[in-house]
């Protein structure tokens, strides 16, 4: 098969959960791609070259031939259409209502839970760093996340929809901000986050970040 030219731009430290989400999506699809780094600590995302490339001046950015997309969930949805099942692995559930729920989860995780993201940054996930106990605001956000996770994950299932989707990876990222820090999580959610973290595509990203486990 003749594949298009695909390039993924990630932060140079591989700490971006959104670049991770796209990396996992591409890996699951099984399409070849090259990986380029943007050093956010040196503000390379604001360089003239990257401004010309990325509409948002953020990572990730994905270039497929002449199309350049930013925003990880938009990229995943495009990849699902560009490389459809059954020839390629699904990123979203086959069922229409479940697809809508998966997209809802993705959008919610990207727009909410700021106290968790601030107090349990991705240094927890990819560098094993430790921080102060959660503030009341972050604890409240964690309780909301836990309640949603228990509602989304049926008993006896290791994925939200009975089959893996990219939303499982995204939810596991948020849960592991807590789990890998040693914050309290119900056993069911701990096991779910650990199971998702062992997926081969996730492990490949962790190897890129130097945090394979």
């Amino acid at each position: 098969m003749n594949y298009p030219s695909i390039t993924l731009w990630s932060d140079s430290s591989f700490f971006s959960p959104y670049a991770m989400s796209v990396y996992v999506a591409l890996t699951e699809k099984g399409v070849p791609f090259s990986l380029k780094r943007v050093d956010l600590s040196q503000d390379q995302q604001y360089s003239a070259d990257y401004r010309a490339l990325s509409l948002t001046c953020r990572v990730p950015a994905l270039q497929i031939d002449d199309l350049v997309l930013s925003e990880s969930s938009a990229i995943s949805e495009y990849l699902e259409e560009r490389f459809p099942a059954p020839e390629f692995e699904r990123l979203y559930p086959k069922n229409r209502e479940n697809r809508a729920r998966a997209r809802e989860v993705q959008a919610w995780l990207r727009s909410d839970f700021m106290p968790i993201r601030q107090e349990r940054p991705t240094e927890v996930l990819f560098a094993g760093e430790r921080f102060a106990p959660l503030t009341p605001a972050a604890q409240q956000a964690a309780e909301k996340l836990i309640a949603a996770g228990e509602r989304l994950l049926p008993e006896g299932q290791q994925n939200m929809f009975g089959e893996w989707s990219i939303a499982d990876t995204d939810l596991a990222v948020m849960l592991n901000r807590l789990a890998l820090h040693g914050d309290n999580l119900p056993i069911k959610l701990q096991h779910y986050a650990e199971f998702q973290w062992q997926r081969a595509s996730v492990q490949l990203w962790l190897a890129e970040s130097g945090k394979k486990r």
Side-chain angles (χ1 to χ4, degrees), residues 9-166:
W9 277 264
S10 169
D11 62 307
S12 58
S13 61
F14 296 98
F15 277 16
S16 167
Y18 311 115
M20 172 183 168
S21 185
V22 175
Y23 181 100
V24 168
L26 286 164
T27 303
E28 293 288 342
K29 284 294 183 185
V31 294
F33 64 97
S34 60
L35 192 60
K36 293 188 177 181
R37 303 185 183 203
V38 180
D39 190 343
L40 304 184
S41 68
Q42 298 297 317
D43 288 337
Q44 285 185 355
Q45 71 271 33
Y46 300 121
S47 68
D49 287 346
Y50 198 72
R51 282 180 180 273
L53 177 81
S54 170
L55 180 68
T56 63
C57 298
R58 303 203 296 182
V59 295
L62 186 80
Q63 183 169 16
I64 299 186
D65 291 331
D66 294 329
L67 174 68
V68 179
L69 282 177
S70 300
E71 299 304 310
S72 57
S73 58
I75 293 170
S76 292
E77 290 186 29
Y78 174 74
L79 291 173
E80 186 78 326
E81 293 185 19
R82 181 70 184 265
F83 304 104
E87 186 175 0
F88 299 92
E89 180 78 15
R90 288 184 184 278
L91 300 179
Y92 292 91
K94 185 176 182 180
N95 175 271
R96 181 180 61 190
E97 284 67 33
N98 286 344
R99 283 199 307 277
R101 182 70 73 192
R103 289 170 175 144
E104 176 190 37
V105 169
Q106 284 189 295
W108 187 30
L109 291 170
R110 285 159 172 75
S111 62
D112 203 346
F113 305 108
M114 183 57 73
I116 297 177
R117 286 186 274 160
Q118 289 176 333
E119 298 182 27
R120 296 294 181 264
T122 51
E123 284 80 358
V124 171
L125 302 172
F126 305 127
E129 293 189 19
R130 292 293 179 266
F131 298 87
L134 295 174
T135 63
Q139 187 60 52
Q140 184 179 58
E143 290 169 2
K144 180 170 64 170
L145 174 66
I146 289 167
E150 292 191 311
R151 180 176 172 183
L152 287 165
L153 189 64
E155 290 295 336
Q157 288 189 193
Q158 295 174 311
N159 301 301
M160 279 187 282
F161 307 108
E163 55 182 329
W164 176 86
S165 79
I166 192 63

Side-chain angles (χ1 to χ4, degrees), residues 191-210:
H191 289 170
Y192 166 80
E194 181 179 359
F195 177 78
Q196 297 299 329
W197 223 234
Q198 296 305 314
R199 195 168 181 88
S201 55
V202 174
Q203 287 291 303
L204 286 172
W205 172 265
L206 294 176
E208 297 279 7
S209 72

